[in-house]
Each structure stands twice: as C-alpha cells, then as structure tokens.
Amino acid sequence: EDALAQVKEAVAAEQFVPEPEVDKPADLIDAGVVTDYNAFQTTTVPVLVEHESAVAPVGYDYELYGTLDLLDFRMYLRDLKTVGKTPQIADLLRSTQMTTYQLFAMAADYPIAKISHDYLIFRKKGVEALPLEVEPRTKDDIRALLDTYQQAVMGISAGIFLPAPAGSWWCSPKWCAYWPICPAITKAAKNYFISKGDE
C-alpha cells in the first residue's frame, strides 16, 4: 500500500504536457472508408464483382484460375489500392495482375475500355483519392504475359524456381512457405528475419 501511495503521489506531482493532436490509426481507417465511398463507390455501377474465372490458353501447358475484382458499366477494369505515397503510372502500366484481369474479362466476352487503379493515399493529414487510368492491354501484351506464365510453369516442372521481383510483398518468411530454402535469399537476410522473428 505504501508503494502504491508513493506512485500515486509521484504521478500527481508530475507535470504532463499534452501531445499535439495526431490522427489515430482508427481515424485514418474511418477516413479511408469515407473517402473510398465518396470518391469511388457512389459512382460505381458494377457489371462483374469478385468474378471467379478459369482460362485455358490455347497452345500453353496450363490453366489460369483467379478472381477478377471489378468491371464497371463503362467496361473499366478496376482495382482498389491503398498506398502511403503518390503512386506512379508505371505501376499500373506494368501490372501483371491487371493484364490477367483483362484476359479473364476477354474470355467472358467483355470488351475493355480502360484499366484503372483506384488509389487511396494515406497521408499524415488525411486520405486522398486518386484514380489512375490507362488504355487496355494489346494482344501482344496478353501474349507476353502468357509466355511469362509458360516459362514459370516449365521452370517449376524442371525444379527451377525463379526469384520474385525485388520488393515483392510475398517474398518473406510470413507469406512464402519456400522462403527458408530459397537459394535467392541470402544467408544474411535469413539470419536477420529469423532473429527478428518476422513471421
């Protein structure tokens, strides 16, 4: 009891200076939901939502299975992205995800007018909405994607696993079951992650 009384006395005597107002994580999440609704959802008339697809490209040794996020009434392929800094148009132009979505849409006989990333940018002072749009992929773009998948399939069949692109979120001990035995990960990186307990 004496120790508790001493702590209370010390706390009462302490001069606390309140911290300046800052956005709490929950406030930013709420702002993100509101911004998404006002900027993107209120104007969306969907044609396909979370559409499960399967495509067997002719002349290739695999089938593709996936889920197309959103195709709206304008025939815009769209995907919501959350980021912490201003995105680059190059990210959308080289997105294999959106190229695959277009392949799924084409297989279902939907002509694509635009490909779009609906960005929510979480900044210190709030959330900003930024839609980025590009022209649809060409037949050559689709063929290049299919060829890339074919190379991956052939490599896996031969027991060759190519490293993920630098910075890929899935290239980590948390998301990749093969990470501990991957020859593309340096010993130093493995020791760092294991010692830090990043799982």
Side-chain angles (χ1 to χ4, degrees), residues 37 64 66 82 123 140 153 167 178:
Y37 178 77
L64 290 174
T82 57
R123 303 190 189 279
D140 287 340
V153 168
Y178 300 100

PDB file of all heavy atoms in Angstrom, residues 37 64 66 82 123 140 153 167 178:
ATOM      1  N   TYR A  37     -15.783   5.539 -50.296  1.00  0.00           N
ATOM      2  CA  TYR A  37     -17.216   5.579 -50.608  1.00  0.00           C
ATOM      3  C   TYR A  37     -17.554   6.795 -51.469  1.00  0.00           C
ATOM      4  O   TYR A  37     -18.222   6.682 -52.502  1.00  0.00           O
ATOM      5  CB  TYR A  37     -18.034   5.597 -49.318  1.00  0.00           C
ATOM      6  CG  TYR A  37     -19.528   5.677 -49.569  1.00  0.00           C
ATOM      7  CD1 TYR A  37     -20.247   4.556 -49.964  1.00  0.00           C
ATOM      8  CD2 TYR A  37     -20.196   6.893 -49.440  1.00  0.00           C
ATOM      9  CE1 TYR A  37     -21.609   4.632 -50.228  1.00  0.00           C
ATOM     10  CE2 TYR A  37     -21.558   6.979 -49.694  1.00  0.00           C
ATOM     11  CZ  TYR A  37     -22.263   5.848 -50.083  1.00  0.00           C
ATOM     12  OH  TYR A  37     -23.606   5.941 -50.347  1.00  0.00           O
ATOM     13  N   LEU A  64      -5.352 -21.015 -66.095  1.00  0.00           N
ATOM     14  CA  LEU A  64      -5.302 -19.921 -65.131  1.00  0.00           C
ATOM     15  C   LEU A  64      -6.627 -19.846 -64.377  1.00  0.00           C
ATOM     16  O   LEU A  64      -7.696 -19.897 -64.995  1.00  0.00           O
ATOM     17  CB  LEU A  64      -5.059 -18.585 -65.832  1.00  0.00           C
ATOM     18  CG  LEU A  64      -3.682 -18.358 -66.451  1.00  0.00           C
ATOM     19  CD1 LEU A  64      -3.673 -17.053 -67.226  1.00  0.00           C
ATOM     20  CD2 LEU A  64      -2.615 -18.333 -65.365  1.00  0.00           C
ATOM     21  N   GLY A  66      -8.549 -17.522 -61.261  1.00  0.00           N
ATOM     22  CA  GLY A  66      -8.421 -16.313 -60.455  1.00  0.00           C
ATOM     23  C   GLY A  66      -9.746 -15.615 -60.271  1.00  0.00           C
ATOM     24  O   GLY A  66     -10.788 -16.097 -60.731  1.00  0.00           O
ATOM     25  N   THR A  82      -4.352   0.690 -51.747  1.00  0.00           N
ATOM     26  CA  THR A  82      -4.034   1.608 -50.659  1.00  0.00           C
ATOM     27  C   THR A  82      -2.517   1.757 -50.586  1.00  0.00           C
ATOM     28  O   THR A  82      -1.792   0.769 -50.605  1.00  0.00           O
ATOM     29  CB  THR A  82      -4.578   1.092 -49.317  1.00  0.00           C
ATOM     30  OG1 THR A  82      -4.047  -0.212 -49.058  1.00  0.00           O
ATOM     31  CG2 THR A  82      -6.087   1.027 -49.329  1.00  0.00           C
ATOM     32  N   ARG A 123      -2.058   9.747 -46.072  1.00  0.00           N
ATOM     33  CA  ARG A 123      -1.026  10.710 -45.697  1.00  0.00           C
ATOM     34  C   ARG A 123      -1.220  11.098 -44.217  1.00  0.00           C
ATOM     35  O   ARG A 123      -2.231  10.770 -43.610  1.00  0.00           O
ATOM     36  CB  ARG A 123      -1.117  11.945 -46.587  1.00  0.00           C
ATOM     37  CG  ARG A 123      -1.011  11.640 -48.085  1.00  0.00           C
ATOM     38  CD  ARG A 123      -0.863  12.927 -48.873  1.00  0.00           C
ATOM     39  NE  ARG A 123      -0.973  12.734 -50.313  1.00  0.00           N
ATOM     40  CZ  ARG A 123       0.010  12.317 -51.094  1.00  0.00           C
ATOM     41  NH1 ARG A 123       1.196  12.017 -50.579  1.00  0.00           N
ATOM     42  NH2 ARG A 123      -0.177  12.188 -52.406  1.00  0.00           N
ATOM     43  N   ASP A 140      -0.476  -8.232 -78.008  1.00  0.00           N
ATOM     44  CA  ASP A 140       0.935  -8.542 -77.745  1.00  0.00           C
ATOM     45  C   ASP A 140       1.229  -8.553 -76.239  1.00  0.00           C
ATOM     46  O   ASP A 140       2.004  -9.381 -75.752  1.00  0.00           O
ATOM     47  CB  ASP A 140       1.852  -7.535 -78.442  1.00  0.00           C
ATOM     48  CG  ASP A 140       1.898  -7.733 -79.952  1.00  0.00           C
ATOM     49  OD1 ASP A 140       1.552  -8.843 -80.415  1.00  0.00           O
ATOM     50  OD2 ASP A 140       2.276  -6.785 -80.669  1.00  0.00           O
ATOM     51  N   VAL A 153       5.911 -22.080 -65.572  1.00  0.00           N
ATOM     52  CA  VAL A 153       5.431 -23.464 -65.490  1.00  0.00           C
ATOM     53  C   VAL A 153       6.543 -24.435 -65.874  1.00  0.00           C
ATOM     54  O   VAL A 153       6.773 -25.448 -65.194  1.00  0.00           O
ATOM     55  CB  VAL A 153       4.195 -23.662 -66.393  1.00  0.00           C
ATOM     56  CG1 VAL A 153       3.865 -25.144 -66.561  1.00  0.00           C
ATOM     57  CG2 VAL A 153       2.995 -22.921 -65.820  1.00  0.00           C
ATOM     58  N   GLY A 167      11.419  -6.391 -53.877  1.00  0.00           N
ATOM     59  CA  GLY A 167      10.381  -5.647 -53.174  1.00  0.00           C
ATOM     60  C   GLY A 167       9.027  -6.311 -53.128  1.00  0.00           C
ATOM     61  O   GLY A 167       8.068  -5.726 -52.625  1.00  0.00           O
ATOM     62  N   TYR A 178       8.365 -21.457 -49.037  1.00  0.00           N
ATOM     63  CA  TYR A 178       9.666 -21.899 -49.530  1.00  0.00           C
ATOM     64  C   TYR A 178      10.797 -20.949 -49.150  1.00  0.00           C
ATOM     65  O   TYR A 178      11.943 -21.179 -49.498  1.00  0.00           O
ATOM     66  CB  TYR A 178       9.624 -22.057 -51.059  1.00  0.00           C
ATOM     67  CG  TYR A 178       8.593 -23.061 -51.509  1.00  0.00           C
ATOM     68  CD1 TYR A 178       7.350 -22.646 -51.990  1.00  0.00           C
ATOM     69  CD2 TYR A 178       8.836 -24.423 -51.445  1.00  0.00           C
ATOM     70  CE1 TYR A 178       6.395 -23.567 -52.395  1.00  0.00           C
ATOM     71  CE2 TYR A 178       7.893 -25.355 -51.845  1.00  0.00           C
ATOM     72  CZ  TYR A 178       6.668 -24.910 -52.314  1.00  0.00           C
ATOM     73  OH  TYR A 178       5.723 -25.822 -52.704  1.00  0.00           O
TER      74      TYR A 178
END
